[in-house]
PDB file of all heavy atoms in Angstrom:
ATOM      1  N   SER A  65      10.583   0.326   5.499  1.00 84.00           N
ATOM      2  CA  SER A  65       9.769  -0.771   5.298  1.00 84.00           C
ATOM      3  C   SER A  65       8.416  -0.682   6.057  1.00 84.00           C
ATOM      4  O   SER A  65       8.375  -0.191   7.128  1.00 84.00           O
ATOM      5  CB  SER A  65      10.500  -2.038   5.772  1.00 84.00           C
ATOM      6  OG  SER A  65      11.756  -2.138   5.248  1.00 84.00           O
ATOM      7  N   ARG A  66       7.470  -1.120   5.366  1.00 86.00           N
ATOM      8  CA  ARG A  66       6.100  -0.956   5.940  1.00 86.00           C
ATOM      9  C   ARG A  66       5.769  -2.156   6.919  1.00 86.00           C
ATOM     10  O   ARG A  66       6.322  -3.253   6.798  1.00 86.00           O
ATOM     11  CB  ARG A  66       5.066  -1.026   4.726  1.00 86.00           C
ATOM     12  CG  ARG A  66       5.015   0.120   3.951  1.00 86.00           C
ATOM     13  CD  ARG A  66       4.039  -0.002   2.842  1.00 86.00           C
ATOM     14  NE  ARG A  66       2.751  -0.245   3.330  1.00 86.00           N
ATOM     15  CZ  ARG A  66       1.867   0.651   3.640  1.00 86.00           C
ATOM     16  NH1 ARG A  66       2.103   1.978   3.513  1.00 86.00           N
ATOM     17  NH2 ARG A  66       0.577   0.381   4.023  1.00 86.00           N
ATOM     18  N   ALA A  67       4.953  -1.760   7.842  1.00 86.00           N
ATOM     19  CA  ALA A  67       4.592  -2.791   8.851  1.00 86.00           C
ATOM     20  C   ALA A  67       3.882  -4.012   8.260  1.00 86.00           C
ATOM     21  O   ALA A  67       3.981  -5.153   8.724  1.00 86.00           O
ATOM     22  CB  ALA A  67       3.655  -2.169  10.016  1.00 86.00           C
ATOM     23  N   ASP A  68       3.094  -3.732   7.188  1.00 91.00           N
ATOM     24  CA  ASP A  68       2.421  -4.833   6.599  1.00 91.00           C
ATOM     25  C   ASP A  68       3.328  -5.622   5.618  1.00 91.00           C
ATOM     26  O   ASP A  68       2.804  -6.612   4.968  1.00 91.00           O
ATOM     27  CB  ASP A  68       1.108  -4.345   5.822  1.00 91.00           C
ATOM     28  CG  ASP A  68       1.452  -3.294   4.772  1.00 91.00           C
ATOM     29  OD1 ASP A  68       2.713  -3.144   4.369  1.00 91.00           O
ATOM     30  OD2 ASP A  68       0.576  -2.629   4.241  1.00 91.00           O
ATOM     31  N   GLY A  69       4.517  -5.292   5.554  1.00 91.00           N
ATOM     32  CA  GLY A  69       5.479  -6.049   4.661  1.00 91.00           C
ATOM     33  C   GLY A  69       5.372  -5.740   3.249  1.00 91.00           C
ATOM     34  O   GLY A  69       6.189  -6.357   2.396  1.00 91.00           O
ATOM     35  N   ARG A  70       4.516  -4.910   2.774  1.00 95.00           N
ATOM     36  CA  ARG A  70       4.372  -4.630   1.429  1.00 95.00           C
ATOM     37  C   ARG A  70       5.576  -3.755   0.904  1.00 95.00           C
ATOM     38  O   ARG A  70       5.971  -2.802   1.591  1.00 95.00           O
ATOM     39  CB  ARG A  70       3.084  -3.933   1.002  1.00 95.00           C
ATOM     40  CG  ARG A  70       1.908  -4.899   1.189  1.00 95.00           C
ATOM     41  CD  ARG A  70       0.579  -4.158   0.964  1.00 95.00           C
ATOM     42  NE  ARG A  70       0.440  -3.710  -0.360  1.00 95.00           N
ATOM     43  CZ  ARG A  70      -0.660  -3.098  -0.861  1.00 95.00           C
ATOM     44  NH1 ARG A  70      -1.645  -2.917  -0.065  1.00 95.00           N
ATOM     45  NH2 ARG A  70      -0.719  -2.627  -2.083  1.00 95.00           N
ATOM     46  N   PRO A  71       6.163  -4.051  -0.176  1.00 97.00           N
ATOM     47  CA  PRO A  71       7.342  -3.222  -0.724  1.00 97.00           C
ATOM     48  C   PRO A  71       6.987  -1.885  -1.160  1.00 97.00           C
ATOM     49  O   PRO A  71       5.798  -1.565  -1.374  1.00 97.00           O
ATOM     50  CB  PRO A  71       7.866  -4.144  -1.832  1.00 97.00           C
ATOM     51  CG  PRO A  71       6.790  -4.972  -2.261  1.00 97.00           C
ATOM     52  CD  PRO A  71       5.827  -5.133  -1.143  1.00 97.00           C
ATOM     53  N   PHE A 177       3.541  -0.371  -2.835  1.00 97.00           N
ATOM     54  CA  PHE A 177       3.057   1.023  -2.814  1.00 97.00           C
ATOM     55  C   PHE A 177       4.073   1.806  -3.600  1.00 97.00           C
ATOM     56  O   PHE A 177       5.314   1.690  -3.418  1.00 97.00           O
ATOM     57  CB  PHE A 177       3.074   1.581  -1.329  1.00 97.00           C
ATOM     58  CG  PHE A 177       1.729   1.243  -0.615  1.00 97.00           C
ATOM     59  CD1 PHE A 177       1.729  -0.017   0.094  1.00 97.00           C
ATOM     60  CD2 PHE A 177       0.641   1.968  -0.684  1.00 97.00           C
ATOM     61  CE1 PHE A 177       0.612  -0.397   0.707  1.00 97.00           C
ATOM     62  CE2 PHE A 177      -0.493   1.593  -0.055  1.00 97.00           C
ATOM     63  CZ  PHE A 177      -0.549   0.417   0.676  1.00 97.00           C
TER      64      PHE A 177
END
Side-chain angles (χ1 to χ4, degrees):
Chain A
S65 304
R66 292 176 55 89
D68 59 12
R70 290 176 64 180
F177 279 89

